[in-house]
Structures are given as C-alpha cells and as structure tokens.
Amino acid sequence: MNARIDTSALSHLSNHHLDALEEETIFILREVAAAFERPTLLFSGGKDSLVMLRCAEKAFGAGRIPYPLLMIDTGHNFQEVTDFRDLRAKELGAELIVRSVEDSMARGTVRLAHPGESRNVHQSVTLLEAIEEFRFDALIGGARRDEEKARAKERIFSHRDSFGQWQPKAQRPELWTLFNTRLAPGEHFRVFPISNWTELDVWQYIDRENIALPSIYYTHQREVVDRRGLLVPVTPLTPPKDGEEVVVRDVRFRTVGDITCTCPVESLAATAGEIVIETLAADVSERGATRMDDKTSDASMEKRKKDGYF
C-alpha cells in the first residue's frame, strides 16, 4: 500500500474558527494561573496535551509557563511517547513531575487482580496521591467533549470533592464565560481548556502550528491482531491469544494511552494534513475506535471519572 492521501481538499477547508478556540483556551489557561495557588498541567506527551502546551506558550511566553507539568505513568506507556514527553519538557525548561502507578503498587495502595490487568484505571489512585503530595488545587487536562459521552457532561472547570470524586449532578453553571472557582479545604478542580475542540480542530491546529508529535501518531508498520473489531498491537504486554493471526498493517494511533488498552487504526496518513482528511471521513470517535477500556460498558468512563479519573 503506497497510495498517498489526496489533500487537495485542504485548500477549501476553513480554519478561521481555530483563532476563537485558541483565544478561549489561552483565556482559561490564564484564568487558572490567576485563580489558583498550586495548579499543574497534566502532560502525557500526547497530541491534546501538546496542543495545550502550545497555547500555554502563547499565553505566557516561551519558557514562562507558571505551573509544573504532571505525568501519571502506568509503566506501560509507549516508549516513543514518554521519550517525546521528556524532550519537550526539557526544551521548554518546564518542571516535569512524574508519579508512577508502580510506586503506588509498591506502597500497597494499588493492587492488581492479576499481573496482566490493565493499570489504566489505577491511575486514579496515583493521581489522587500526587494531588495530596503537592496540594494541587487545579489540574489542567486535555479532555474534549467530543471524545466520549461522560466527557460531554463535563464542565470546563470541573469541581472535585475532598475525596477527588466527580459528581455530575453537582457541577457549577458556566454562563457568559464566568467560572466559580471557590473551593473548600481538600477540594480541587479539573480544568479542561480544550473542551470545545473536536478531534478535527486538534489536527487542523497541529497542521497550522506545525506542532511536533511522537512518531506513532503517523503511519508506520506494526504487528497487530484483530480482536473484537479493534487492531490490538502485538507487544510483550499484549501478546496474541490462541487462534489469533498476527498480521503487519500500516497503522497510526488516533489517541495514545496505556499499551494494554490502546489500539491503532489502519492508515497511510504521514502528515497532519493527511490526518485532517482522514478525520473528516471518520464516523467513530477516537476513543470509540481505539480504546478497549471504554468498551467494557456504556458507563465505564463515567464510573472511572466519579472515582477520580482524568
């Protein structure tokens, strides 16, 4: 498969709306810096956090981001992504805090049901421990409303109680871009500056701003197996099951997370512009097309969020 994707339609695709989205994101990032004492920006090295990082550079100036970057590491992340995370943090001169699910396991606060269990859901425990350790009062995340139905319920300033839990029926109104940032002791906010962006907006912005990304976001060849309609990457953590056929496909990752629950999609897109064209034709959200952990039930994401997940 060597056919290139026709990108001629890009010349007819407007991206003027990106200015308004960028302006809103910059406003929110500045609002967090002004309203909270100990905020942090959740930074995985993935595309959404890199878009936020570019907006933060514009909001405060290169090398002047006023809050640290925080990564909750499952220990099962793609090496290309963690290497890129470290590189960008170093380039920016930003403080990077990494807290590991494996450390929580060593403390006994995380216990796996079996060695092969995905650690993705257990990030909530490690995240809440990091919040307590550093007394963070606002955590800036890259979640978007178009990703998943539970995230569509989320406010931009999402209040969390003293247990770190999200109560969807107790969220505060956000009229006329006015945010109630009042906190009781022990509470915090999760803040989502790109809530109103879509996957297409993100890729148009990456294309416009020429934002560098980890290589696995673009087409590459990888061994995979077809499992429940998903292409599962063949790795030591996700070996093929009996009877499954291992094939080599041209793939890319639409979203990147824990290896044990993140799948690529077939693609020949080698540039952000080519991904824009593919995204225009997509009829399944990126999480719906690539995340095994969201397929356990219709309410799986909402349950995780109530327990403190991102």
Side-chain angles (χ1 to χ4, degrees):
M1 297 176 65
N2 295 312
R4 294 301 301 273
I5 296 171
D6 182 5
T7 59
S8 58
L10 287 175
S11 61
H12 305 289
L13 184 64
S14 173
N15 65 7
H16 296 311
H17 66 291
L18 296 179
D19 293 331
L21 289 172
E22 179 188 71
E23 182 179 351
E24 178 185 56
T25 299
I26 288 173
F27 169 76
I28 294 166
L29 290 168
R30 288 173 174 166
E31 188 77 1
V32 172
F36 297 97
E37 294 182 14
R38 293 173 297 277
T40 184
L41 191 152
L42 294 168
F43 181 61
S44 66
K47 70 182 192 306
D48 296 316
S49 59
L50 285 162
V51 163
M52 283 203 306
L53 209 56
R54 173 57 58 86
C55 290
E57 288 183 87
K58 292 189 176 187
F60 304 108
R64 297 174 59 87
I65 298 174
Y67 22 70
L69 312 181
L70 173 65
M71 165 67 169
I72 304 300
D73 193 339
T74 65
H76 289 168
N77 295 295
F78 292 95
Q79 190 67 45
E80 297 95 330
V81 179
T82 53
D83 287 348
F84 196 86
R85 172 203 69 192
D86 296 342
L87 174 65
R88 283 299 289 135
K90 184 176 180 180
E91 288 175 346
L92 289 169
E95 178 186 2
L96 175 64
I97 300 169
V98 178
R99 289 296 178 267
S100 171
V101 173
E102 292 184 348
D103 290 338
S104 298
M105 292 165 59
R107 287 190 292 269
T109 52
V110 166
R111 297 183 180 181
L112 303 184
H114 54 84
E117 181 187 3
S118 173
R119 300 177 181 179
N120 193 54
V121 67
H122 297 293
Q123 292 179 90
S124 303
V125 174
T126 309
L127 177 62
L128 293 175
E129 290 173 344
I131 291 170
E132 183 177 1
E133 177 185 356
F134 293 98
R135 297 187 299 128
F136 291 131
D137 52 5
L139 291 89
I140 306 165
R144 308 187 319 271
R145 290 180 174 135
D146 76 320
E147 290 182 277
E148 201 274 338
K149 63 182 70 175
R151 285 182 167 169
K153 296 180 181 180
E154 196 85 75
R155 296 287 195 269
I156 292 176
F157 279 70
S158 179
H159 176 262
R160 302 297 170 109
D161 63 22
S162 57
F163 297 100
Q165 296 178 326
W166 175 61
Q167 303 296 338
K169 294 183 179 180
Q171 295 301 302
R172 301 171 181 182
E174 296 181 338
L175 305 175
W176 306 291
T177 323
L178 296 174
F179 304 110
N180 180 350
T181 59
R182 191 174 304 161
L183 287 172
E187 298 177 344
H188 71 275
F189 276 93
R190 309 285 173 89
V191 184
F192 304 107
I194 62 171
S195 285
N196 294 326
W197 298 50
T198 65
E199 183 184 10
L200 180 61
D201 297 330
V202 167
W203 281 109
Q204 283 188 271
Y205 191 75
I206 290 169
D207 185 41
R208 187 185 82 170
E209 299 289 314
N210 195 29
I211 298 174
L213 299 179
S215 60
I216 63 174
Y217 276 109
Y218 299 107
T219 187
H220 59 284
Q221 290 196 328
R222 185 179 290 266
E223 288 188 338
V224 297
V225 296
D226 192 327
R227 186 178 302 163
R228 291 190 297 164
L230 297 175
L231 296 179
V232 178
V234 175
T235 72
L237 295 171
T238 52
K241 297 180 179 179
D242 291 342
E244 290 183 330
E245 180 185 4
V246 178
V247 296
V248 176
R249 299 276 181 86
D250 293 296
V251 300
R252 66 176 175 89
F253 286 85
R254 288 174 69 182
T255 183
V256 173
D258 190 285
I259 290 173
T260 62
C261 61
T262 307
C263 300
V265 295
E266 280 199 90
S267 175
L268 291 172
T271 67
E274 291 177 352
I275 293 176
V276 168
I277 298 300
E278 282 194 348
T279 305
L280 282 168
D283 56 5
V284 180
S285 74
E286 60 196 275
R287 292 191 70 93
T290 66
R291 296 300 291 266
M292 287 185 284
D293 53 336
D294 289 343
K295 290 184 174 290
T296 55
S297 78
D298 288 341
S300 56
M301 171 62 82
E302 183 160 333
K303 181 181 184 302
R304 293 201 303 275
K305 290 179 74 63
K306 287 179 179 178
D307 291 338
Y309 191 70
F310 309 122

